[in-house]
C-alpha cells in the first residue's frame, strides 16, 4: 500500500528518492516480530516490553528496535552504501513513520494533517509547490506529515483493499483478536473490545470501524493522492456496503427468529385457553379431587 501511495503525483513531487526508500523500509518493518497482542495488553499485563518502553508506544518501539538489531548485522546491512548523513536521515524517517502508527496518536496526527491541508488551501499552495521563498522548515514538515499519513493509512487500510482480499484479512485479524481475548479471560482481565470470541460482533464492528475511523481518514487522504485516492475510496465503499448487508441479514434473521418465538408462544397460550383444553384441565382437576372409597376389612 505504501508503494502504491508513493506512485501518486503528490508523493512524486514532494518526496526525495531517499525518503521514498525509507518509506518502503518503514512499511516492511513496521510490524516486525509482532506478538499478536495490542499495546494495551502489554501494559495491562506489565510485560517485559511494557517495562522496557515505559508503556509508551510499546510495540512500535519494539518493532523498530528489533528491525534495527537485525539490520545492524553486517550480513544484513542494506544501508552500507549510504553516507553517514544519509543513514541518519533514513533512520530518523523510519523511526518517525513507525511511531506514528500507534493508534494512541491517531487523533493527534489526523488533526495535524487536517490543519496542514487547511493552511495550504487558505494560502493557495500545495505539496511540491516549493519556490525559492518557501522555507526549508515548511518543506520538511510537509514531507514528514505526508510520510506519516502514508504508513498510517496503509497500516489501517485493509478496508480500502479489494473486497476479496479485505474479507480474508478481517477473518485473520479477528482470530488474532480472539486469541488475545482468550488470554485475557485466562488471566482474569477485562476482555478488550472485539476480542471476545463468545460474543462475536464482527459485522457491526467493521461497519463502525469503516464509518467512523477509516472513511474520514481516507476521505482526507484521497484528496491528497488524487486518482490513487479515488481507487481506495471505491474499494472502501464496496467493503462498507458488504458489511452493512451482512448486518442487515443478521438483523433480519434475528427479527424472524423472535417473530417465530412469539408466534409459538402465542399459539401455546391459545391452545391452553381453548374450550377443549379447559374442559380437559377441569376434568383432570375434578378427578384429583374425587374422594377415594374406603374399604372395610372383613373378619370371619
Amino acid at each position: 500500500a505504501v508503494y502504491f501511495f508513493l506512485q501518486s503525483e503528490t508523493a512524486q513531487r514532494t518526496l526525495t528518492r531517499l525518503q521514498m526508500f525509507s518509506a518502503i523500509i518503514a512499511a516492511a518493518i513496521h510490524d516486525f516480530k509482532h506478538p499478536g497482542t495490542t499495546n494495551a495488553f502489554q501494559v495491562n499485563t506489565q510485560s517485559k516490553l511494557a517495562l522496557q518502553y515505559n508503556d509508551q508506544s510499546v510495540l512500535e518501539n519494539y518493532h523498530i528496535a528489533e528491525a534495527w538489531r537485525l539490520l545492524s548485522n553486517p550480513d544484513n546491512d542494506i544501508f552500507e552504501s549510504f553516507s553517514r548523513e544519509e543513514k541518519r536521515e533514513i533512520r530518523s524517517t523510519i523511526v518517525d513513520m513507525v511511531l506514528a502508527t500507534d493508534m494512541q496518536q491517531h487523533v493527534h496526527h489526523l488533526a495535524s494533517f487536517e490543519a496542514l491541508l487547511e493552511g495550504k488551501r487558505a494560502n493557495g499552495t500545495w505539496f511540491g509547490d516549493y519556490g525559492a521563498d518557501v522555507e526549508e522548515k515548511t518543506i520538511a514538515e510537509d514531507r514528514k506529515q505526508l510520510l506519516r499519513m502514508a504508513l498510517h493509512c496503509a497500516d489501517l487500510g485493509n478496508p480500502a483493499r479489494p473486497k476479496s482480499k479485505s474479507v480474508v484479512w478481517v477473518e485473520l485479524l479477528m482470530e488474532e483478536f480472539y486469541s488475545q481475548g482468550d488470554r485475557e479471560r485466562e488471566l482474569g482481565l477485562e476482555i478488550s473490545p472485539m476480542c471476545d470470541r463468545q460474543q462475536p460482533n464482527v459485522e457491526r464492528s467493521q461497519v463502525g470501524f469503516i464509518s467512523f475511523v477509516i472513511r474520514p481518514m481516507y476521505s482526507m487522504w484521497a484528496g491528497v493522492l488524487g486518482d490513487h485516492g479515488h481507487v481506495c475510496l471505491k474499494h472502501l465503499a464496496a467493503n462498507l456496503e458488504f458489511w452493512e448487508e451482512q448486518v442487515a441479514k443478521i438483523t433480519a434473521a434475528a427479527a424472524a427468529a423472535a417473530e417465530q418465538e412469539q408466534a409459538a408462544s402465542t399459539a401455546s397460550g391459545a391452545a391452553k385457553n381453548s374450550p377443549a383444553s379447559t374442559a380437559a384441565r377441569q376434568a383432570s382437576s375434578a378427578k384429583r379431587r374425587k374422594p377415594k372409597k374406603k374399604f372395610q376389612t372383613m373378619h370371619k
Side-chain angles (χ1 to χ4, degrees), residues 133-284:
D133 58 333
V134 179
E135 296 182 1
E136 186 61 35
K137 181 180 179 181
T138 299
I139 299 174
E141 184 63 22
D142 279 7
R143 290 169 171 168
K144 178 181 290 188
Q145 293 219 36
L146 198 64
L147 288 165
R148 285 174 179 171
M149 281 294 290
L151 185 54
H152 189 41
C153 286
D155 189 30
L156 298 180
N158 184 57
R161 300 175 187 270
K163 180 168 71 68
S164 59
K165 293 181 174 62
S166 180
V167 172
V168 173
W169 278 103
V170 168
E171 293 175 356
L172 295 171
L173 180 63
M174 292 311 302
E175 183 53 40
E176 181 177 292
F177 282 176
Y178 289 153
S179 294
Q180 174 175 311
D182 293 343
R183 293 176 64 184
E184 288 171 330
R185 180 176 285 107
E186 291 173 0
L187 295 170
L189 300 174
E190 181 179 353
I191 299 178
S192 300
M194 299 188 295
C195 292
D196 191 347
R197 70 170 72 246
Q198 296 180 8
Q199 298 182 34
N201 196 12
V202 180
E203 297 80 8
R204 286 185 174 82
S205 65
Q206 282 299 303
V207 170
F209 179 60
I210 295 173
S211 300
F212 301 111
V213 178
I214 303 303
R215 186 165 57 182
M217 179 172 68
Y218 263 84
S219 295
M220 186 191 307
W221 185 232
V224 175
L225 295 183
D227 291 341
H228 285 67
H230 297 317
V231 172
C232 297
L233 292 181
K234 178 182 176 181
H235 293 316
L236 195 66
N239 281 307
L240 179 58
E241 182 180 8
F242 169 77
W243 290 112
E244 287 177 335
E245 288 174 353
Q246 303 311 303
V247 170
K249 290 178 181 178
I250 292 172
T251 303
E259 186 176 343
Q260 289 179 355
E261 184 178 350
Q262 180 62 38
S265 177
T266 301
S268 176
K272 289 180 180 180
N273 296 323
S274 67
S277 178
T278 300
R281 288 198 303 273
Q282 290 175 344
S284 176

Side-chain angles (χ1 to χ4, degrees), residues 11-54:
Q12 292 289 322
R13 293 178 55 198
T14 307
L15 303 174
T16 67
R17 303 300 291 179
L18 190 64
Q19 288 168 334
M20 291 185 182
F21 170 78
S22 302
I24 295 296
I25 302 303
I29 72 160
H30 86 283
D31 269 345
F32 183 58
K33 287 192 174 183
H34 199 292
T37 56
T38 62
N39 278 336
F41 180 86
Q42 297 292 327
V43 172
N44 290 338
T45 57
Q46 297 184 334
S47 69
K48 291 181 179 179
L49 292 180
L51 296 176
Q52 182 175 350
Y53 297 112
N54 298 314

